[in-house]
Amino acid sequence: QVQLVESGGGSVQAGDSLRLSCVASGRAFSTYSMGWFRQAPGKERDIVAGITWSGGRTYYADSVKGRFTVSRDNGKNTMYLQMNSLKPEDTAVYYCAATSRSSPPLRPASFDSWGQGTQVTVSS
């Protein structure tokens, strides 16, 4: 499976911006889709944004649409999540994930490889 490492989290105030990065290596399969998930304390892990690796088609959860932008640099094997206008409800551990499925259901079970997670804390 592909190995993933996230970075870029931190503690910020509402209205600030952060950019998360996810570096992929050690592929054992063709990675067709990648995504960002987040999990707040006491809550389940949910999709934030997704992207197809070759075509760049994107998906956003309604809660982040218009504020977050997912992108990828194929040459650097890196996926990014630009987070603007952050809100306290964005506070969570953010995880990078990858799958060989071209159009997977947007739930954690669809993804085979996961990063360690990076903490994002937004204060009001």
Side-chain angles (χ1 to χ4, degrees):
Q1 73 274 22
V2 64
Q3 293 177 300
L4 307 172
V5 179
E6 308 100 329
S7 63
S11 183
V12 299
Q13 291 191 326
D16 287 348
S17 298
L18 285 172
R19 188 181 73 160
L20 306 184
S21 299
C22 173
V23 180
S25 62
R27 293 185 186 184
F29 58 90
S30 298
T31 299
Y32 292 125
S33 302
M34 296 184 69
W36 290 99
F37 291 75
R38 67 186 182 188
Q39 187 167 22
K43 303 294 180 62
E44 64 183 7
R45 189 174 300 186
D46 289 321
I47 186 74
V48 176
I51 190 167
T52 59
W53 201 244
S54 60
R57 178 178 293 181
T58 58
Y59 165 86
Y60 298 97
D62 288 341
S63 59
V64 307
K65 192 171 296 184
R67 299 187 297 120
F68 291 10
T69 303
V70 63
S71 61
R72 82 277 191 264
D73 186 329
N74 299 62
K76 295 181 179 180
N77 294 316
T78 302
M79 178 179 65
Y80 305 95
L81 184 67
Q82 179 66 46
M83 304 186 294
N84 297 328
S85 301
L86 283 162
K87 303 176 179 180
E89 50 263 46
D90 296 318
T91 296
V93 177
Y94 284 70
Y95 297 90
C96 174
T99 180
S100 61
R101 300 166 71 172
S102 60
S103 185
L106 299 178
R107 59 178 187 265
S110 299
F111 291 77
D112 304 303
S113 300
W114 293 85
Q116 292 284 90
T118 185
Q119 176 71 48
V120 172
T121 302
V122 185
S123 301
S124 61

